[in-house]
Amino acid sequence: MSTTTPHTHEPEEHPESLPGGAGTAVRPPRLIHNEATTEIPVHLLFRDEPAPEARRPAVVNRRQGTGEQPRHVRPAPVRRRPEPRPDPELQERPARVLPGAAGVLAGLGGVAGCLATTWWAGVLPGEASGAGLGAAQWAAYAGTGALGLLGFGGLARGRTGRAWVLGLFGRYRGTVRRTGLLWINPLLRRRRADVRLRHWRSGAVPAADANGVALRVVVLVVWRVRDTARALLGIEEHETYLRECVESALARVPVELPGGVRSGADAAGDALTRLVAADVAPVGVEVFSVQPVRVEYAPEVAAAMQRRRIAALDAQQRATMLSSVVDSVEDTVTRLTTRGLVELDDYERKALVRDLTVAFCSARREPA
C-alpha cells in the first residue's frame, strides 16, 4: 500500500471517444488521500454499520501508520467435559403393594375353593355320589387354584434396611421400602437392594504426595444407596463404580504421610469426599466420608524415602539441640557478667563460650 500527499485533490478529466463520434468526459470515482490511510473509494465510507451485538468478539489492534482496519477475531468455543445425565425415567418411586393379610386371605380362599370343588365333584374319600369331574369342576379347580397361588406366591417379608426393586418385562415398576408381611404381585421381578449405611475399606491404592512421590493409601469410605432405581438399574455394578471413583480421586488429590500437619490430612480427606460424592451422585449413591486410614511409601521408593526421612529428622534434632545449647550458653555468660562474678575480655569470653558449648553438647549426647 502506498501513501500520497495529505491534501485532497480531484483527478483530471480525460475525454474518450464514444461510438457516436462525440467525446465526453468520464469522471472516475472520487478518492480521499491521507497519510494514515490508503486510497479508499468514497462510496465505501457510507456502508451500513453492523449491529452493536455483532462487535462483541475480541478486536486485534491495528498497526500504527499502516491504515489497517481493526480485525474482529471470534474466540474459540470452550469445550466442557460432558457430565453423566441419569435417565429421567429411572428415579425411585414407591411401588403399589398390599398388606400381607390380603395375600393370606386370598390363599386361604383358594384352598377353600379347591376343597369345595372336590366335595362338589364327589371325589372326597367316603363320598358315594357326586357330579363327577366335568368341565365346570375343572374350571372351578383352575380358578380357585390360581387364586391360592397368587395369594401365597405374592407374600414377601420387608426388612429394615432392605428394599425390593420391582420390574415387569424389563420396565421399572417401583421400589418397596416397607417392612413386615407384604403382598407383591408375583408376576413382577424382585431385586433385593441394601439401603443401610455401609462402609468399605479399600486395599492399597496407588497415590502420590504433593512432590509426586509414589505412595500406597488405604481409605475408608462411608456410603449408602440413596436411589435404588439408579443404583441397580442405571449402572451395571454400583459398588465397582464406587471403587473406581475412589481410585480416580486418589490420582487427582495429593496425600500426605501421617505425622505431618494434621490440617493437611483433613484437607485431603475433604477433597476426596467432594470428588467421590460428585462422581457417584448420578448413579444414586450417597457418599458421606472418604478418609485415608493408612499411608505408606510405594515399595520401589520405600527404602530411599525412609533414609531421607531419617536424615531429615536427624538434622532437625541436631538443629533443635544446637539452638538449646546456644541459648543455655548465652544465658550462663550473661548471668556471670551482669552479676559481676567475673570480668572477661574478648578472648576470655570466647574461650568460656567454647568450653561451655562443648560441655553442654556432651551432656546432651549422653544417654539418660
Side-chain angles (χ1 to χ4, degrees), residues 168-184:
L168 179 62
F169 303 117
R171 184 179 180 183
Y172 174 64
R173 304 299 297 178
T175 300
V176 180
R177 288 180 178 259
R178 296 171 57 180
T179 58
L181 187 61
L182 306 171
W183 184 85
I184 303 174

Side-chain angles (χ1 to χ4, degrees), residues 316-349:
Q316 182 180 2
Q317 183 179 4
R318 288 176 181 272
T320 304
M321 183 185 68
L322 182 59
S323 299
S324 178
V325 169
V326 170
D327 293 340
S328 300
V329 171
E330 181 182 6
D331 183 63
T332 302
V333 174
T334 301
R335 288 186 178 183
L336 290 175
T337 56
T338 55
R339 294 182 181 181
L341 299 178
V342 292
E343 294 182 359
L344 303 174
D345 56 9
D346 293 340
Y347 178 78
E348 292 175 344
R349 181 185 296 273

Side-chain angles (χ1 to χ4, degrees), residues 123-211:
V123 294
L124 289 175
E127 187 70 22
S129 61
L133 293 175
Q137 285 75 18
W138 284 113
Y141 271 126
T144 56
L147 180 62
L149 290 177
L150 289 175
F152 289 123
L155 293 178
R157 184 184 63 174
R159 293 186 293 177
T160 304
R162 302 294 179 90
W164 293 103
V165 179
L166 308 181
L168 179 62
F169 303 117
R171 184 179 180 183
Y172 174 64
R173 304 299 297 178
T175 300
V176 180
R177 288 180 178 259
R178 296 171 57 180
T179 58
L181 187 61
L182 306 171
W183 184 85
I184 303 174
N185 187 351
L187 299 179
L188 299 177
R189 182 188 177 186
R190 310 175 191 177
R191 296 183 63 178
R192 178 73 74 176
D194 191 345
V195 295
R196 295 175 296 179
L197 189 66
R198 305 168 63 181
H199 69 278
W200 169 62
R201 184 186 178 96
S202 70
V205 183
D209 61 3
N211 298 323

Side-chain angles (χ1 to χ4, degrees), residues 5-174:
T5 58
H7 65 277
T8 304
H9 68 276
E10 297 182 0
E12 299 180 356
E13 299 179 354
H14 300 279
E16 298 181 1
S17 298
L18 300 178
T24 60
V26 180
R27 183 184 297 273
R30 300 181 64 183
L31 303 177
I32 295 178
H33 297 273
N34 193 303
E35 61 180 1
T37 61
T38 59
E39 297 180 356
I40 304 175
V42 177
H43 69 278
L44 295 180
L45 299 177
F46 301 96
R47 294 182 298 175
D48 295 336
E49 294 293 335
E53 291 77 5
R55 292 191 174 183
R56 290 185 179 179
V59 178
V60 179
N61 295 332
R62 62 180 180 179
R63 291 175 293 178
Q64 297 294 336
T66 61
E68 182 181 355
Q69 299 297 324
R71 293 179 291 120
H72 300 280
V73 180
R74 189 177 299 276
V78 180
R79 295 183 179 181
R80 296 182 179 180
R81 184 181 63 178
E83 298 181 357
R85 296 182 178 180
D87 189 353
E89 295 184 358
L90 286 180
Q91 187 173 1
E92 182 177 329
R93 59 179 182 270
R96 297 178 180 178
V97 295
L98 296 177
V104 173
L105 292 177
L108 293 178
V111 172
C114 290
L115 293 177
T117 303
T118 302
W119 175 81
W120 178 28
V123 294
L124 289 175
E127 187 70 22
S129 61
L133 293 175
Q137 285 75 18
W138 284 113
Y141 271 126
T144 56
L147 180 62
L149 290 177
L150 289 175
F152 289 123
L155 293 178
R157 184 184 63 174
R159 293 186 293 177
T160 304
R162 302 294 179 90
W164 293 103
V165 179
L166 308 181
L168 179 62
F169 303 117
R171 184 179 180 183
Y172 174 64
R173 304 299 297 178

